[in-house]
Structures are given as C-alpha cells and as structure tokens.
Amino acid sequence: MGPLTWKRLFWLAIVILFFPLDWMKRLPRIHLPTSRYDERDTMFARLARKPGTPHYEDYYSRRPELKRADDRVRSITRLTKPGSKHFRPDLTLPIQTLFKRIPQIVIDRSRVKLLANRVRQAQNQPAELSVIAKELGAIAVGFSTAPVSLVYSVRGRHDSIYGQEITDPLPYALVFLVEMDHDHMRQAPKMIVLKESARQYYNAALIAKILAAVFQELGHKASAQFDAHYDVILPPLAVLAGLGELGRNNILIADKYGSRVRIAAVLTDTPLPQSQMIDLGVEHFCSICKKCATTCPSHSLSKAEKTDVRGTQIWTTREEKCVAYWRTMGSDCGICMAVCPYSHKTNPLHHTVRFLIRLNPWMRHMANWADDLIYGKTWKIKS
Ligand code: B12
Ligand code: SF4
Ligand code: SF4
C-alpha cells in the first residue's frame, strides 16, 4: 500500500460514491393505517360545505374546532375568481371548462368493446391492461390490493353523497400516473399551474373511465377514481402498487418523474397481481434535502421527523395554510411538486442521477449539494 496521494484519494471518492451500497437492501415495508379516514375531513370536502345549509351545520357541530380556520379560508377569493395575486382572466374559462367537463366525460362504447376484446384474447391480461393504459396516456401503471384502511369510511365531497358510508369497497386496484408538464410546473404558483392541473385531471379521468368501462365490459365491477370522485387515498395506494415512495412533501415521488405526477385508479373486484414496491432512496434523501419544507411559502410542510398518524408514519401537511395560500395566489401552487429534486425534467442525465441515488447513500449527499448549487436553495419562479 503506497502513500495517500490526491490521485488515490480521488479514486477512493469515486469508489465510495458509485459503489452500489444499497443494492442488497431489503425492499421497503409500510405500515398501513389502523383506522379509516372520513372524507368529510379532507380540506376540499370541508370547503364544499356552504354556510347556512344542514350539512354545514352538521359538519361543524361534529368538528367545531375546524370552523374558524375553514371560514377564514372561505373568506379568501375562490380560485378562478378575480382578486388573487396571479389571476389571469384569459385562463379562467379554459380552467373552468376543463373542471366542468370532467364528471361529464362520456366514453365511446365501441372503443371500449374493442379494448375489452384485446384484454379477453391476451395471454397476460394485466399486462395488456397496462399496455392499454399507456396507449391512453398513462406514464406508469401498477397493481395492488386496495386495503380497506385506505378507503374513506364516509363520503363527503359532494352534498348529494354527504354522510354515505362506504361498505364493501372493491378489493383490487389498477393505479396509474399522468405527467404534469415540467415547464408549466416551473411557473408555480402562477395560474398556469392550475390550468395544467385541470388538464391532467381531465386526462387522468378519461383514462380511468375508459379502463373502468373495459373491466365492466368484461363482466366485473369497477369504479373509476378521479378528480373529486374518490373512495380511496391515492398516494399510499400508488406506493403499494410499486409506483414510487411517499416524500416529505406528503405526496408520491414516482420513479423517473418525481412528484410531478397526478394519480388516478380503477377499483375492481377482478383479482389483479400485486406489483412489487420500489425503493428510490426517498426515505434517506428526504432526511437530507428538506427543500419542499423550506421553500413552501405557507410553511405547511414539516422539517421535523415523521409522526405517527392513524398508526402510520408520515410527514404532515397543514392543509388550511396550504389552501389559504392557493386562494391568495389564485392557483393550486404546486411548488412542493416542482421544487423536489426528483421532479426535474425527464432526460438521460436526471435519470442517471436518480439511478445512482437509489443505490448509494453518499451519492444522495452529493446530489443534494449539486442540486442546491445548480437549481438554488430557494424556489425561483420561471417567467
Ligand atoms: C385533500 C387533498 C389535499 C389537501 C390535503 C393534502 C394532503 N396531503 O392530504 C390539500 C388541499 C392541502 C392538498 C394539496 C395538494 N395536493 Co392534494 N389531494 C387531496 C386528496 C383529494 C385527498 C387526500 C386525503 O385524503 N388527505 C387527507 C389525509 C389522508 O391526509 P394525510 O393524513 O396527510 O395523508 C397524506 C399522506 O400522508 C398519504 N398517506 C395517508 N395515509 C398513508 C399511509 C401510508 C402507509 C403512506 C405511505 C401514505 C399515507 O396520503 C395523504 C395524501 O398524500 C388527494 C386525492 C386522493 N384521493 O388521494 C389529492 C392529492 C393527494 N393531491 C395532490 C396534489 C398534487 C396536491 C398539491 C401539490 C396541489 C397541486 N398543485 O396539485 C398540494 C400538495 C400538498 C401537500 N404537500 O400535501 C395529488 C398528489 C399526486 C402525487 N404526486 O402524489 C393527489 C393524489 C391528487 C391526484 N389525483 O393526483 N391536497
Ligand atoms: S424536496 Fe427533498 S425533502 Fe421534499 S420530497 Fe423532494 S426529496 Fe424529499
Ligand atoms: S402546494 Fe404550495 S402551499 Fe401547499 S404545501 Fe405545496 S408548496 Fe406549500
């Protein structure tokens, strides 16, 4: 063994950074919640209650501690209405139209019959369903059982279903992702982000409805899970379906796209295979990075350790603060999706970095340092 020269030190550093230390690491295990969540407690359901109505009275008589905070958010200008910081009149109609059209999407039955035939004739039906979802625009597809603990106990988003219990939920799920455009997300929290959300909610709803119709055509029960029409909490379901991991930003970090994705699903009674969960190194990377939490303008995200919520370990979101910020800006913000180093543009360089940080903990420190250097420690809105 010769003297420690700069050249040797350099090669030693390379070996430390590129050695696949985590190659043999066991796959992640997650603890499912021990109790179900009431959809009426989600922020969107709370804001859907109209003062003076029986549901408003009912809800705040059960959760009086939330009334003051919710009324304060209600008093701020609604999204797509003039008065917010980034309001753009030219975007109002396209956004409203997209959101309005989502529940009205009508599926072409002849197309569904053709797709169902393809699945019927396929040797491997789940693989064929996955191919179809991707042809329709999904960027990733996974399968899982749908644990009851991830299904809301009671519905609450719309007045027509407020208080409806969800009994006998469908036990299997096809979960898929659609990409949020990188260049639009770089403009977060401008109003263009809300348009991109509306566009991808629409695309995801269309795919989910077609796939649900295909399952039904094959003789099974199926329920499409899309914007404002959910029976299930999607990010943990996507984790179970092997599509990514939960980040400190309290949403999914997907392979190759980071958090820059929307999730949708089809719940069904067709037995589906269980995809394998993946380890992208997120758990460790989030303990070093914290960029989402430090840049969140409303301080809604946690810089601390994970906490126990309903028997599962998660980083929390202060949801009232988050939506209050949305309304002040006039968009659904999205900075925590866009600022995440995993969400950078999908290109070979970023793929390589994502691959390397999956395998080596030292590379995660290096990547975090490089990310600060190249993209900055704080969020800069691209104009
Ligand atoms: C209510 C809601 C909100 C609320 C509350 C946010 C929240 N974290 O739950 C508000 C209005 C604040 C919000 C904000 C945003 N939202 Co939102 N929201 C929802 C909605 C409709 C329901 C989620 C819910 O029930 N939350 C209430 C309870 C369950 O929350 P919680 O206890 O904090 O649990 C969260 C996580 O810890 C995780 N979780 C819960 N239990 C368990 C158990 C295990 C084992 C694991 C691993 C995880 C896990 O799931 C929850 C949501 O991530 C979902 C759609 C859906 N059906 O999932 C979209 C959804 C989560 N939102 C989404 C997005 C993108 C956003 C925003 C970025 C806004 C935007 N530009 O789109 C911000 C991000 C805020 C943040 N960093 O958390 C996406 C996430 C996509 C992704 N990459 O994962 C979803 C899935 C919508 C979609 N169809 O794509 N949202
Ligand atoms: S920004 Fe950093 S801390 Fe936040 S979710 Fe992404 S990797 Fe984790
Ligand atoms: S959407 Fe914006 S305000 Fe809400 S948690 Fe993310 S960064 Fe914070």
mmCIF file of all heavy atoms in Angstrom, residues 1-34:
data_model
loop_
_atom_site.group_PDB
_atom_site.id
_atom_site.type_symbol
_atom_site.label_atom_id
_atom_site.label_comp_id
_atom_site.label_asym_id
_atom_site.label_seq_id
_atom_site.Cartn_x
_atom_site.Cartn_y
_atom_site.Cartn_z
ATOM 1 N N MET A 1 0.854 -1.210 0.000
ATOM 2 C CA MET A 1 0.000 0.000 0.000
ATOM 3 C C MET A 1 0.884 1.253 0.000
ATOM 4 O O MET A 1 1.686 1.459 0.923
ATOM 5 C CB MET A 1 -0.856 -0.085 1.267
ATOM 6 C CG MET A 1 -1.761 1.089 1.454
ATOM 7 S SD MET A 1 -3.389 0.925 0.855
ATOM 8 C CE MET A 1 -4.089 2.414 1.495
ATOM 9 N N GLY A 2 0.841 2.066 -1.053
ATOM 10 C CA GLY A 2 1.694 3.245 -1.165
ATOM 11 C C GLY A 2 1.131 4.424 -0.389
ATOM 12 O O GLY A 2 0.126 4.292 0.319
ATOM 13 N N PRO A 3 1.783 5.603 -0.498
ATOM 14 C CA PRO A 3 1.296 6.792 0.221
ATOM 15 C C PRO A 3 -0.059 7.272 -0.325
ATOM 16 O O PRO A 3 -0.414 6.983 -1.463
ATOM 17 C CB PRO A 3 2.393 7.836 -0.065
ATOM 18 C CG PRO A 3 3.051 7.352 -1.318
ATOM 19 C CD PRO A 3 2.939 5.867 -1.344
ATOM 20 N N LEU A 4 -0.798 8.016 0.536
ATOM 21 C CA LEU A 4 -2.135 8.513 0.148
ATOM 22 C C LEU A 4 -1.978 9.772 -0.720
ATOM 23 O O LEU A 4 -1.756 10.864 -0.195
ATOM 24 C CB LEU A 4 -2.927 8.811 1.416
ATOM 25 C CG LEU A 4 -4.448 8.777 1.302
ATOM 26 C CD1 LEU A 4 -4.929 7.452 0.744
ATOM 27 C CD2 LEU A 4 -5.074 9.018 2.666
ATOM 28 N N THR A 5 -2.010 9.620 -2.023
ATOM 29 C CA THR A 5 -1.837 10.766 -2.915
ATOM 30 C C THR A 5 -3.205 11.322 -3.300
ATOM 31 O O THR A 5 -4.237 10.671 -3.085
ATOM 32 C CB THR A 5 -1.103 10.320 -4.196
ATOM 33 O OG1 THR A 5 -1.917 9.322 -4.807
ATOM 34 C CG2 THR A 5 0.280 9.778 -3.892
ATOM 35 N N TRP A 6 -3.245 12.508 -3.911
ATOM 36 C CA TRP A 6 -4.513 13.112 -4.367
ATOM 37 C C TRP A 6 -5.203 12.208 -5.378
ATOM 38 O O TRP A 6 -6.420 12.073 -5.380
ATOM 39 C CB TRP A 6 -4.253 14.488 -4.982
ATOM 40 C CG TRP A 6 -4.013 15.535 -3.942
ATOM 41 C CD1 TRP A 6 -2.854 16.196 -3.698
ATOM 42 C CD2 TRP A 6 -4.968 16.004 -2.987
ATOM 43 N NE1 TRP A 6 -3.000 17.056 -2.640
ATOM 44 C CE2 TRP A 6 -4.306 16.963 -2.179
ATOM 45 C CE3 TRP A 6 -6.292 15.722 -2.697
ATOM 46 C CZ2 TRP A 6 -4.916 17.631 -1.135
ATOM 47 C CZ3 TRP A 6 -6.924 16.383 -1.662
ATOM 48 C CH2 TRP A 6 -6.240 17.320 -0.898
ATOM 49 N N LYS A 7 -4.350 11.578 -6.208
ATOM 50 C CA LYS A 7 -4.913 10.704 -7.235
ATOM 51 C C LYS A 7 -5.654 9.527 -6.588
ATOM 52 O O LYS A 7 -6.775 9.174 -6.960
ATOM 53 C CB LYS A 7 -3.768 10.200 -8.122
ATOM 54 C CG LYS A 7 -4.230 9.632 -9.435
ATOM 55 C CD LYS A 7 -3.026 9.336 -10.303
ATOM 56 C CE LYS A 7 -3.418 8.382 -11.413
ATOM 57 N NZ LYS A 7 -2.277 7.880 -12.111
ATOM 58 N N ARG A 8 -5.010 8.950 -5.547
ATOM 59 C CA ARG A 8 -5.636 7.807 -4.868
ATOM 60 C C ARG A 8 -6.905 8.240 -4.136
ATOM 61 O O ARG A 8 -7.907 7.528 -4.113
ATOM 62 C CB ARG A 8 -4.651 7.187 -3.893
ATOM 63 C CG ARG A 8 -3.623 6.388 -4.651
ATOM 64 C CD ARG A 8 -2.784 5.559 -3.740
ATOM 65 N NE ARG A 8 -1.902 4.755 -4.549
ATOM 66 C CZ ARG A 8 -0.767 4.270 -4.127
ATOM 67 N NH1 ARG A 8 -0.389 4.491 -2.898
ATOM 68 N NH2 ARG A 8 -0.018 3.544 -4.919
ATOM 69 N N LEU A 9 -6.802 9.433 -3.515
ATOM 70 C CA LEU A 9 -7.994 9.955 -2.807
ATOM 71 C C LEU A 9 -9.161 10.127 -3.772
ATOM 72 O O LEU A 9 -10.308 9.827 -3.462
ATOM 73 C CB LEU A 9 -7.674 11.299 -2.162
ATOM 74 C CG LEU A 9 -7.163 11.252 -0.723
ATOM 75 C CD1 LEU A 9 -6.797 12.644 -0.266
ATOM 76 C CD2 LEU A 9 -8.216 10.656 0.206
ATOM 77 N N PHE A 10 -8.820 10.632 -4.971
ATOM 78 C CA PHE A 10 -9.856 10.838 -5.988
ATOM 79 C C PHE A 10 -10.546 9.510 -6.323
ATOM 80 O O PHE A 10 -11.769 9.413 -6.336
ATOM 81 C CB PHE A 10 -9.228 11.463 -7.243
ATOM 82 C CG PHE A 10 -10.165 11.520 -8.416
ATOM 83 C CD1 PHE A 10 -11.153 12.496 -8.488
ATOM 84 C CD2 PHE A 10 -10.079 10.576 -9.446
ATOM 85 C CE1 PHE A 10 -12.029 12.533 -9.566
ATOM 86 C CE2 PHE A 10 -10.956 10.608 -10.519
ATOM 87 C CZ PHE A 10 -11.920 11.591 -10.580
ATOM 88 N N TRP A 11 -9.726 8.482 -6.565
ATOM 89 C CA TRP A 11 -10.308 7.189 -6.943
ATOM 90 C C TRP A 11 -11.094 6.562 -5.784
ATOM 91 O O TRP A 11 -12.128 5.936 -5.994
ATOM 92 C CB TRP A 11 -9.228 6.223 -7.460
ATOM 93 C CG TRP A 11 -8.832 6.618 -8.856
ATOM 94 C CD1 TRP A 11 -7.630 7.112 -9.258
ATOM 95 C CD2 TRP A 11 -9.684 6.603 -10.011
ATOM 96 N NE1 TRP A 11 -7.651 7.418 -10.597
ATOM 97 C CE2 TRP A 11 -8.915 7.105 -11.095
ATOM 98 C CE3 TRP A 11 -11.007 6.233 -10.270
ATOM 99 C CZ2 TRP A 11 -9.414 7.243 -12.380
ATOM 100 C CZ3 TRP A 11 -11.503 6.363 -11.549
ATOM 101 C CH2 TRP A 11 -10.718 6.858 -12.581
ATOM 102 N N LEU A 12 -10.616 6.827 -4.561
ATOM 103 C CA LEU A 12 -11.326 6.318 -3.381
ATOM 104 C C LEU A 12 -12.715 6.965 -3.304
ATOM 105 O O LEU A 12 -13.735 6.307 -3.066
ATOM 106 C CB LEU A 12 -10.524 6.643 -2.110
ATOM 107 C CG LEU A 12 -11.082 6.074 -0.807
ATOM 108 C CD1 LEU A 12 -10.998 4.550 -0.833
ATOM 109 C CD2 LEU A 12 -10.318 6.617 0.391
ATOM 110 N N ALA A 13 -12.746 8.308 -3.548
ATOM 111 C CA ALA A 13 -14.032 9.031 -3.518
ATOM 112 C C ALA A 13 -14.975 8.474 -4.587
ATOM 113 O O ALA A 13 -16.171 8.289 -4.341
ATOM 114 C CB ALA A 13 -13.791 10.521 -3.731
ATOM 115 N N ILE A 14 -14.416 8.190 -5.769
ATOM 116 C CA ILE A 14 -15.258 7.645 -6.846
ATOM 117 C C ILE A 14 -15.849 6.300 -6.433
ATOM 118 O O ILE A 14 -17.040 6.038 -6.604
ATOM 119 C CB ILE A 14 -14.416 7.489 -8.154
ATOM 120 C CG1 ILE A 14 -13.997 8.859 -8.684
ATOM 121 C CG2 ILE A 14 -15.180 6.697 -9.233
ATOM 122 C CD1 ILE A 14 -15.117 9.707 -9.249
ATOM 123 N N VAL A 15 -14.993 5.459 -5.824
ATOM 124 C CA VAL A 15 -15.480 4.139 -5.408
ATOM 125 C C VAL A 15 -16.586 4.311 -4.356
ATOM 126 O O VAL A 15 -17.654 3.681 -4.440
ATOM 127 C CB VAL A 15 -14.319 3.273 -4.845
ATOM 128 C CG1 VAL A 15 -14.861 2.005 -4.185
ATOM 129 C CG2 VAL A 15 -13.359 2.913 -5.959
ATOM 130 N N ILE A 16 -16.369 5.216 -3.382
ATOM 131 C CA ILE A 16 -17.379 5.409 -2.318
ATOM 132 C C ILE A 16 -18.700 5.895 -2.917
ATOM 133 O O ILE A 16 -19.774 5.435 -2.568
ATOM 134 C CB ILE A 16 -16.863 6.408 -1.251
ATOM 135 C CG1 ILE A 16 -15.733 5.759 -0.449
ATOM 136 C CG2 ILE A 16 -17.985 6.851 -0.313
ATOM 137 C CD1 ILE A 16 -15.046 6.683 0.531
ATOM 138 N N LEU A 17 -18.593 6.828 -3.887
ATOM 139 C CA LEU A 17 -19.826 7.410 -4.455
ATOM 140 C C LEU A 17 -20.579 6.455 -5.362
ATOM 141 O O LEU A 17 -21.807 6.492 -5.419
ATOM 142 C CB LEU A 17 -19.470 8.675 -5.251
ATOM 143 C CG LEU A 17 -19.268 9.945 -4.453
ATOM 144 C CD1 LEU A 17 -18.802 11.058 -5.370
ATOM 145 C CD2 LEU A 17 -20.560 10.356 -3.779
ATOM 146 N N PHE A 18 -19.833 5.615 -6.076
ATOM 147 C CA PHE A 18 -20.511 4.784 -7.082
ATOM 148 C C PHE A 18 -20.737 3.345 -6.627
ATOM 149 O O PHE A 18 -21.387 2.581 -7.315
ATOM 150 C CB PHE A 18 -19.740 4.812 -8.414
ATOM 151 C CG PHE A 18 -19.899 6.132 -9.124
ATOM 152 C CD1 PHE A 18 -19.039 7.186 -8.861
ATOM 153 C CD2 PHE A 18 -20.937 6.335 -10.024
ATOM 154 C CE1 PHE A 18 -19.196 8.415 -9.492
ATOM 155 C CE2 PHE A 18 -21.097 7.555 -10.662
ATOM 156 C CZ PHE A 18 -20.234 8.603 -10.392
ATOM 157 N N PHE A 19 -20.209 2.984 -5.461
ATOM 158 C CA PHE A 19 -20.401 1.599 -5.020
ATOM 159 C C PHE A 19 -21.880 1.389 -4.668
ATOM 160 O O PHE A 19 -22.450 2.146 -3.880
ATOM 161 C CB PHE A 19 -19.507 1.304 -3.805
ATOM 162 C CG PHE A 19 -19.451 -0.163 -3.508
ATOM 163 C CD1 PHE A 19 -18.662 -1.008 -4.278
ATOM 164 C CD2 PHE A 19 -20.214 -0.712 -2.475
ATOM 165 C CE1 PHE A 19 -18.636 -2.371 -4.023
ATOM 166 C CE2 PHE A 19 -20.180 -2.074 -2.215
ATOM 167 C CZ PHE A 19 -19.389 -2.900 -2.988
ATOM 168 N N PRO A 20 -22.506 0.362 -5.254
ATOM 169 C CA PRO A 20 -23.960 0.193 -5.012
ATOM 170 C C PRO A 20 -24.265 -0.367 -3.622
ATOM 171 O O PRO A 20 -24.742 -1.479 -3.463
ATOM 172 C CB PRO A 20 -24.380 -0.769 -6.125
ATOM 173 C CG PRO A 20 -23.138 -1.520 -6.483
ATOM 174 C CD PRO A 20 -21.973 -0.644 -6.194
ATOM 175 N N LEU A 21 -23.980 0.465 -2.597
ATOM 176 C CA LEU A 21 -24.117 0.020 -1.209
ATOM 177 C C LEU A 21 -25.513 -0.507 -0.873
ATOM 178 O O LEU A 21 -25.675 -1.398 -0.056
ATOM 179 C CB LEU A 21 -23.805 1.195 -0.267
ATOM 180 C CG LEU A 21 -22.334 1.486 0.010
ATOM 181 C CD1 LEU A 21 -22.204 2.789 0.770
ATOM 182 C CD2 LEU A 21 -21.708 0.340 0.790
ATOM 183 N N ASP A 22 -26.527 0.113 -1.485
ATOM 184 C CA ASP A 22 -27.900 -0.266 -1.132
ATOM 185 C C ASP A 22 -28.473 -1.344 -2.049
ATOM 186 O O ASP A 22 -29.659 -1.622 -2.027
ATOM 187 C CB ASP A 22 -28.823 0.970 -1.172
ATOM 188 C CG ASP A 22 -28.628 1.821 0.073
ATOM 189 O OD1 ASP A 22 -27.892 1.377 0.974
ATOM 190 O OD2 ASP A 22 -29.214 2.917 0.141
ATOM 191 N N TRP A 23 -27.607 -1.939 -2.869
ATOM 192 C CA TRP A 23 -28.077 -2.914 -3.850
ATOM 193 C C TRP A 23 -28.858 -4.051 -3.182
ATOM 194 O O TRP A 23 -29.911 -4.474 -3.643
ATOM 195 C CB TRP A 23 -26.871 -3.494 -4.618
ATOM 196 C CG TRP A 23 -27.245 -4.395 -5.735
ATOM 197 C CD1 TRP A 23 -27.286 -5.760 -5.721
ATOM 198 C CD2 TRP A 23 -27.671 -4.001 -7.036
ATOM 199 N NE1 TRP A 23 -27.698 -6.238 -6.928
ATOM 200 C CE2 TRP A 23 -27.936 -5.177 -7.765
ATOM 201 C CE3 TRP A 23 -27.835 -2.765 -7.665
ATOM 202 C CZ2 TRP A 23 -28.379 -5.155 -9.070
ATOM 203 C CZ3 TRP A 23 -28.267 -2.745 -8.975
ATOM 204 C CH2 TRP A 23 -28.538 -3.933 -9.657
ATOM 205 N N MET A 24 -28.308 -4.521 -2.044
ATOM 206 C CA MET A 24 -28.897 -5.678 -1.384
ATOM 207 C C MET A 24 -29.938 -5.287 -0.322
ATOM 208 O O MET A 24 -30.438 -6.136 0.396
ATOM 209 C CB MET A 24 -27.802 -6.509 -0.698
ATOM 210 C CG MET A 24 -26.794 -7.108 -1.652
ATOM 211 S SD MET A 24 -27.578 -8.230 -2.819
ATOM 212 C CE MET A 24 -27.875 -9.625 -1.748
ATOM 213 N N LYS A 25 -30.209 -3.959 -0.222
ATOM 214 C CA LYS A 25 -31.149 -3.511 0.823
ATOM 215 C C LYS A 25 -32.507 -4.180 0.648
ATOM 216 O O LYS A 25 -32.964 -4.345 -0.481
ATOM 217 C CB LYS A 25 -31.299 -1.986 0.731
ATOM 218 C CG LYS A 25 -31.394 -1.329 2.091
ATOM 219 C CD LYS A 25 -31.405 0.157 1.938
ATOM 220 C CE LYS A 25 -32.797 0.691 2.052
ATOM 221 N NZ LYS A 25 -32.927 2.102 1.812
ATOM 222 N N ARG A 26 -33.125 -4.529 1.772
ATOM 223 C CA ARG A 26 -34.444 -5.167 1.658
ATOM 224 C C ARG A 26 -35.475 -4.166 1.145
ATOM 225 O O ARG A 26 -35.369 -2.966 1.407
ATOM 226 C CB ARG A 26 -34.869 -5.699 3.018
ATOM 227 C CG ARG A 26 -34.228 -7.061 3.276
ATOM 228 C CD ARG A 26 -34.811 -7.702 4.477
ATOM 229 N NE ARG A 26 -34.745 -6.831 5.636
ATOM 230 C CZ ARG A 26 -35.593 -6.889 6.640
ATOM 231 N NH1 ARG A 26 -36.577 -7.726 6.611
ATOM 232 N NH2 ARG A 26 -35.461 -6.084 7.673
ATOM 233 N N LEU A 27 -36.456 -4.670 0.429
ATOM 234 C CA LEU A 27 -37.477 -3.763 -0.104
ATOM 235 C C LEU A 27 -38.266 -3.100 1.029
ATOM 236 O O LEU A 27 -38.389 -3.676 2.103
ATOM 237 C CB LEU A 27 -38.418 -4.543 -1.028
ATOM 238 C CG LEU A 27 -37.802 -4.812 -2.391
ATOM 239 C CD1 LEU A 27 -38.620 -5.823 -3.152
ATOM 240 C CD2 LEU A 27 -37.701 -3.516 -3.197
ATOM 241 N N PRO A 28 -38.766 -1.880 0.794
ATOM 242 C CA PRO A 28 -39.435 -1.159 1.887
ATOM 243 C C PRO A 28 -40.685 -1.873 2.378
ATOM 244 O O PRO A 28 -41.354 -2.575 1.624
ATOM 245 C CB PRO A 28 -39.800 0.176 1.232
ATOM 246 C CG PRO A 28 -39.774 -0.067 -0.229
ATOM 247 C CD PRO A 28 -38.805 -1.166 -0.473
ATOM 248 N N ARG A 29 -40.980 -1.664 3.652
ATOM 249 C CA ARG A 29 -42.230 -2.174 4.231
ATOM 250 C C ARG A 29 -42.973 -0.969 4.758
ATOM 251 O O ARG A 29 -42.359 -0.068 5.316
ATOM 252 C CB ARG A 29 -41.941 -3.093 5.413
ATOM 253 C CG ARG A 29 -41.459 -4.481 5.001
ATOM 254 C CD ARG A 29 -40.761 -5.123 6.169
ATOM 255 N NE ARG A 29 -41.698 -5.293 7.280
ATOM 256 C CZ ARG A 29 -42.353 -6.409 7.538
ATOM 257 N NH1 ARG A 29 -42.162 -7.450 6.788
ATOM 258 N NH2 ARG A 29 -43.198 -6.503 8.551
ATOM 259 N N ILE A 30 -44.273 -0.917 4.545
ATOM 260 C CA ILE A 30 -45.001 0.211 5.108
ATOM 261 C C ILE A 30 -46.072 -0.297 6.062
ATOM 262 O O ILE A 30 -46.554 -1.410 5.935
ATOM 263 C CB ILE A 30 -45.640 1.121 4.035
ATOM 264 C CG1 ILE A 30 -46.546 0.324 3.104
ATOM 265 C CG2 ILE A 30 -44.617 1.906 3.276
ATOM 266 C CD1 ILE A 30 -47.390 1.202 2.205
ATOM 267 N N HIS A 31 -46.374 0.556 7.031
ATOM 268 C CA HIS A 31 -47.436 0.210 7.971
ATOM 269 C C HIS A 31 -48.710 0.881 7.498
ATOM 270 O O HIS A 31 -48.752 2.108 7.377
ATOM 271 C CB HIS A 31 -47.086 0.691 9.377
ATOM 272 C CG HIS A 31 -45.840 0.037 9.892
ATOM 273 N ND1 HIS A 31 -45.828 -1.251 10.355
ATOM 274 C CD2 HIS A 31 -44.570 0.484 9.966
ATOM 275 C CE1 HIS A 31 -44.598 -1.563 10.705
ATOM 276 N NE2 HIS A 31 -43.811 -0.532 10.476
ATOM 277 N N LEU A 32 -49.701 0.081 7.244
ATOM 278 C CA LEU A 32 -50.972 0.665 6.805
ATOM 279 C C LEU A 32 -51.669 1.332 7.986
ATOM 280 O O LEU A 32 -51.446 0.937 9.131
ATOM 281 C CB LEU A 32 -51.861 -0.428 6.219
ATOM 282 C CG LEU A 32 -51.409 -0.947 4.861
ATOM 283 C CD1 LEU A 32 -52.179 -2.189 4.471
ATOM 284 C CD2 LEU A 32 -51.572 0.126 3.792
ATOM 285 N N PRO A 33 -52.510 2.342 7.714
ATOM 286 C CA PRO A 33 -53.222 2.991 8.833
ATOM 287 C C PRO A 33 -54.065 1.962 9.601
ATOM 288 O O PRO A 33 -54.523 0.977 9.030
ATOM 289 C CB PRO A 33 -54.117 4.011 8.129
ATOM 290 C CG PRO A 33 -53.533 4.208 6.783
ATOM 291 C CD PRO A 33 -52.827 2.942 6.422
ATOM 292 N N THR A 34 -54.250 2.258 10.879
ATOM 293 C CA THR A 34 -55.044 1.334 11.700
ATOM 294 C C THR A 34 -56.517 1.740 11.718
ATOM 295 O O THR A 34 -57.361 1.008 12.218
ATOM 296 C CB THR A 34 -54.509 1.300 13.140
ATOM 297 O OG1 THR A 34 -54.282 2.647 13.547
ATOM 298 C CG2 THR A 34 -53.222 0.504 13.238
#
